Amino acid sequence: MSSQTVGVVPVIDISPLFGDDLEARRAVGKELDAACREIGFFQITGHGLSDAVIKEVYDTAKEFFAQPLAEKRKVAQPNPKTVRGYTAVGEQAFAYNEDTSAPGDLHEKFDVGPFVESDDPYFSVDVAGPHFIPNQWPEHPARMQLAWEDYFEAADALCRTIMRGFALGLDLPEDFFEDKIDKDISMLRAIHYPHRDEPPLPGQMRAGAHTDYGSLTIVRPEEAPGGLQVFTQDGDWKDVPVIPGALVVNIGDLMAQWTNDQWISTRHRVANPPRDVVANTERMSIVFFHQPNYDAVIEVLPTCVEPGVAPKYAPITSGDHLTMKFEKTHQRV
């Protein structure tokens, strides 16, 4: 096992989490714990996510976004509570998550959620609301559904492994989170940042400053001008470098709440490329947002609050928390 820090974000080899050595797994857990307390971001190597699976979801997303707008709008997201399908450039503003006003972000995106076929009422709209509604798939590229379902399954399994590492880092039983994430309501998103010759509006970003919502986020970034930045505790925006083969991970608001803010849900953004760059600045990120079961009650963990001291947060279900956040991130028209 080895770890380092590149820029302000630690790089952690998580391969021991897949092995049989409990002490090696605990050691990784402690590295994860330290990163989440210091900045809430880290990069992971030894994650086991197949290059072929990553490439296929990336390639199909690129083909989809290259189509005319009218074609993409055939699978448009129906409403703010139904996060499935396509959202065009400027129709979302992440800064609304922080109750601030800003122009729409300079990206387009495509979202899918869990693909579950079951007669169990737990997954029905009447009980689950929008969390297990069917996904929308475009006609082209035809192989997109298979590619995305493969990536979703692999990323979801990776998140379960990381959550076991989180439990060890927090001095909890390794399987503490298992029954809270076995029917998770996670989402897979491709975010396309097109090249633009015209300047952005005042305050307009590729993705405005925000924190993520759930337990953790896994990002497959791309090396191109105008990238991910994190807001450090020193009050500075710092670039997150792209490391070949590594994935960027950050925790979200729900995990911060779970840990009574001992772990940090850090603000981040995607910066605009410098105006003096004349090359093509197009870029794309593949993002997996891990979110616990919709009925999982999120209350401060026993190892994160002193006996007799009231926790900062009242319990809330994962589903209610997620729905509240979604409704803030879309343009008010």
Side-chain angles (χ1 to χ4, degrees):
M1 178 181 64
S2 61
S3 65
Q4 57 180 314
T5 298
V6 178
V8 295
V9 177
V11 181
I12 302 173
D13 175 7
I14 67 165
S15 56
L17 293 180
F18 299 96
D20 296 329
D21 186 335
L22 177 58
E23 289 311 309
R25 298 199 302 273
R26 286 190 195 280
V28 173
K30 289 305 177 184
E31 288 189 73
L32 298 174
D33 176 62
C36 291
R37 290 176 188 274
E38 292 167 8
I39 194 168
F41 267 80
F42 50 94
Q43 300 207 47
I44 56 173
T45 60
H47 49 72
L49 198 56
S50 161
D51 289 343
V53 170
I54 294 172
K55 184 179 186 302
E56 186 66 359
V57 76
Y58 177 89
D59 288 349
T60 55
K62 192 167 186 175
E63 288 181 40
F64 171 76
F65 288 125
Q67 297 179 109
L69 181 60
E71 189 67 24
K72 292 181 284 190
R73 285 199 184 279
K74 291 180 180 179
V75 286
Q77 178 175 319
N79 58 66
K81 290 186 177 182
T82 308
V83 188
R84 300 287 188 273
Y86 176 71
T87 303
V89 174
E91 291 182 344
Q92 183 181 50
F94 278 122
Y96 282 143
N97 182 29
E98 299 186 336
D99 294 316
T100 62
S101 179
D105 290 337
L106 296 174
H107 68 252
E108 57 184 342
K109 66 184 182 72
F110 187 85
D111 292 291
V112 303
F115 44 98
V116 176
E117 296 182 6
S118 173
D119 295 329
D120 186 338
Y122 181 91
F123 300 102
S124 69
V125 174
D126 290 342
V127 178
H131 300 304
F132 286 101
I133 59 172
N135 290 308
Q136 301 190 88
W137 297 106
E139 290 184 22
H140 307 287
R143 70 189 194 284
M144 188 168 176
Q145 179 174 354
L146 179 60
W148 282 52
E149 288 183 351
D150 284 348
Y151 188 95
F152 193 110
E153 185 175 16
D156 205 29
L158 176 56
C159 286
R160 289 194 295 272
T161 297
I162 295 172
M163 291 292 285
R164 289 195 293 272
F166 281 176
L168 291 172
L170 291 163
D171 297 320
L172 296 165
E174 191 171 13
D175 63 353
F176 179 86
F177 295 110
E178 292 292 324
D179 63 350
K180 303 164 185 65
I181 60 173
D182 57 344
K183 297 182 287 292
D184 57 290
I185 53 172
S186 303
M187 286 185 15
L188 173 58
R189 171 178 297 171
I191 307 177
H192 178 232
Y193 307 97
H195 177 80
R196 293 173 63 89
D197 292 320
E198 63 273 25
L201 298 172
Q204 191 172 36
M205 303 290 291
R206 280 185 151 179
H210 64 285
T211 56
D212 287 350
Y213 310 153
S215 39
L216 67 106
T217 303
I218 297 177
V219 182
R220 187 275 190 187
E222 183 175 31
E223 185 68 77
L228 178 65
Q229 297 180 328
V230 297
F231 194 67
T232 69
Q233 294 191 64
D234 295 330
D236 297 321
W237 285 104
K238 297 290 188 181
D239 293 333
V240 177
V242 176
I243 299 174
L247 299 171
V248 179
V249 182
N250 64 278
I251 63 166
D253 298 342
L254 208 62
M255 184 57 72
Q257 188 163 323
W258 233 337
T259 61
N260 213 34
D261 287 336
Q262 290 190 17
W263 286 10
I264 304 168
S265 180
T266 295
R267 293 172 69 223
H268 52 285
R269 69 187 186 185
V270 179
N272 297 313
R275 294 302 300 163
D276 58 357
V277 174
V278 295
N280 186 355
T281 62
E282 177 187 23
R283 69 179 291 131
M284 186 162 62
S285 296
I286 306 299
V287 187
F288 189 82
F289 298 101
H290 186 257
Q291 183 81 22
N293 304 353
Y294 67 78
D295 57 349
V297 178
I298 310 304
E299 49 190 338
V300 171
L301 298 168
T303 58
C304 294
V305 63
E306 296 292 331
V309 177
K312 292 183 179 181
Y313 299 100
I316 187 172
T317 64
S318 167
D320 286 348
H321 186 273
L322 182 62
T323 299
M324 174 187 68
K325 293 285 187 176
F326 278 151
E327 292 175 350
K328 288 185 177 181
T329 60
H330 288 262
Q331 289 282 24
R332 295 161 175 81
V333 293

